[in-house]
Amino acid sequence: MANVVEVNDLSFVYPDGSRALNGISFSIREGSRVAILGPNGAGKSTLLLHLNGLNLPQQGTVRVLERKVDRKTEKWVRTVVGMVFQDPDDQVFSATVWDDVAFGPLNMGLADDEIVSRVERALQAVGMFEHRDKPPYNLSYGQKKRVAIAGVLAMEPKVIVLDEPNAFLDPAGKKQVVRILENLHQRGITIIIATHDVDLAAEWADQVIIIKDGKIIAEGEPWLLTDKKLVEEASLRYPLVAQIFLAMPEFKINPVPLTVEQAIKAMRRFLNAQISNKAIL
Ligand SMILES: Nc1ncnc2c1ncn2[C@@H]1O[C@H](COP(=O)(O)OP(=O)(O)OP(=O)(O)O)[C@@H](O)[C@H]1O
Ligand SMILES: [Mg+2]
């Protein structure tokens, strides 16, 4: 499978002199679920803004579908990589929910019936179709967030980047976002999120990238989140499920379960082994 995103030695300094990124390199395979974690101010949002050309590299390169992101390709890259900002108020601004979601497809110059079917599908996918005639400013935060996601879906991008998709959502809202992300994954879309939610990263991601002070300090599978030194260095915590098993080494379960599903399987195996040991004795 090809790399959809390739970042090589990327650095970025804001005009006031703040160095946000300092030599970042990584690549992302098509269809992956990637979680970028790291402390406040690590550079996550700055990095995400480079993935769809809202920030252009000052040093190093960003490639999307093998094309270098620069002034010549920035418009194109915005159609391939959809970006959902942390705060939906930065993204949702039209008179009605419908108009808001139609904004991107309209700008793409699509035919009217294509726009209608895309907007309808996108609103259905996030469960906001029945609110289509409402003004977005009358919606709750979680509903606005879903409209922002629908706006990106309607552009049918190959890659979707979400900055803190879970922040400030109630538990049901969080579950719904995870369901939307899973649905997008099933459709083959590459998804990249920045998050502080280690449980979400553990449960959902295939690839975890941990950044601090504008540098990658670790990259790999979610089991990285059980590395004590790394977790401390990145101001994270262990996933909740992992905390239980790390506190009870007598279970001797390796690798440590990260998700509820993995924990249930591991406990069943453990109990079955206990039962058959007793049967032998
Ligand atoms: N517009 C800006 N002007 C100047 N400095 C900025 C700007 N935006 C971000 N920074 C600085 O760049 C660094 C990286 O910030 P960034 O917002 O990318 O971090 P983050 O990892 O997304 O943090 P958080 O977890 O708080 O969202 C920080 O030191 C921040 O102060
Ligand atoms: Mg941020």
Side-chain angles (χ1 to χ4, degrees):
M1 245 191 290
N3 286 333
V4 265
V5 173
E6 261 180 46
V7 173
N8 194 16
D9 196 27
L10 179 66
S11 293
F12 189 83
V13 180
Y14 281 102
D16 69 353
S18 310
R19 174 169 284 280
L21 301 177
N22 194 0
I24 296 257
S25 302
F26 63 89
S27 52
I28 291 175
R29 293 215 166 262
E30 191 176 354
S32 321
R33 292 169 286 194
V34 183
I36 300 175
L37 297 118
N40 291 129
K44 302 180 295 296
S45 297
T46 308
L47 173 60
L48 295 189
L49 292 171
H50 280 83
L51 301 181
N52 81 338
L54 286 171
N55 281 341
L56 293 174
Q58 293 166 342
Q59 186 205 302
T61 54
V62 174
R63 284 177 193 279
V64 171
L65 299 177
E66 298 181 352
R67 281 174 86 177
K68 202 165 140 182
V69 178
D70 56 22
R71 282 207 188 291
K72 278 181 280 175
T73 57
E74 64 182 316
K75 257 194 148 154
W76 166 81
V77 82
R78 253 163 246 159
T79 64
V80 179
V81 181
M83 173 94 189
V84 180
F85 297 110
Q86 176 174 341
D87 186 350
D89 286 325
D90 290 340
Q91 198 150 13
V92 173
F93 45 76
S94 299
T96 66
V97 165
W98 180 279
D99 289 350
D100 212 277
V101 177
F103 182 80
L106 262 171
N107 268 351
M108 287 165 83
L110 299 172
D112 285 354
D113 52 349
E114 173 69 11
I115 295 175
V116 169
S117 77
R118 282 192 183 202
V119 174
E120 210 172 297
R121 255 181 288 145
L123 284 172
Q124 299 279 16
V126 300
M128 287 298 291
F129 185 69
E130 64 272 35
H131 297 291
R132 61 192 175 281
D133 296 325
K134 271 197 166 185
Y137 55 80
N138 282 348
L139 298 176
S140 76
Y141 183 90
Q143 290 170 331
K144 269 191 243 175
K145 189 104 186 175
R146 284 190 274 150
V147 173
I149 295 175
V152 168
L153 291 185
M155 313 257 302
E156 299 194 351
K158 290 212 173 312
V159 181
I160 298 189
V161 173
L162 303 100
D163 201 349
E164 307 274 357
N166 253 354
F168 307 115
L169 295 183
D170 63 23
K174 284 186 182 172
K175 220 169 162 184
Q176 184 147 25
V177 165
V178 173
R179 223 178 293 132
I180 295 169
L181 295 184
E182 206 36 49
N183 195 293
L184 297 176
H185 171 66
Q186 300 295 336
R187 284 157 52 187
I189 297 173
T190 307
I191 310 166
I192 304 166
I193 66 170
T195 186
H196 292 288
D197 187 337
V198 280
D199 295 310
L200 172 66
E203 186 85 37
W204 169 83
D206 318 300
Q207 181 181 356
V208 166
I209 298 174
I210 301 178
I211 68 175
K212 186 181 178 182
D213 298 332
K215 293 194 185 103
I216 293 186
I217 57 169
E219 190 199 343
E221 291 188 23
W223 275 288
L224 281 179
L225 299 170
T226 58
D227 180 323
K228 185 166 191 282
K229 203 167 142 254
L230 186 61
V231 164
E232 277 168 11
E233 193 185 347
S235 310
L236 297 170
R237 63 157 172 77
Y238 294 136
L240 281 176
V241 171
Q243 282 182 32
I244 299 168
F245 290 89
L246 289 165
M248 301 183 79
E250 55 271 37
F251 282 125
K252 294 195 183 74
I253 292 173
N254 239 324
V256 171
L258 293 179
T259 68
V260 171
E261 211 172 283
Q262 288 168 6
I264 291 170
K265 270 194 194 148
M267 290 305 292
R268 288 227 163 96
R269 265 201 311 272
F270 179 83
L271 289 173
N272 285 338
Q274 295 285 99
I275 291 164
S276 45
N277 276 349
K278 270 201 189 120
I280 292 165
L281 291 174

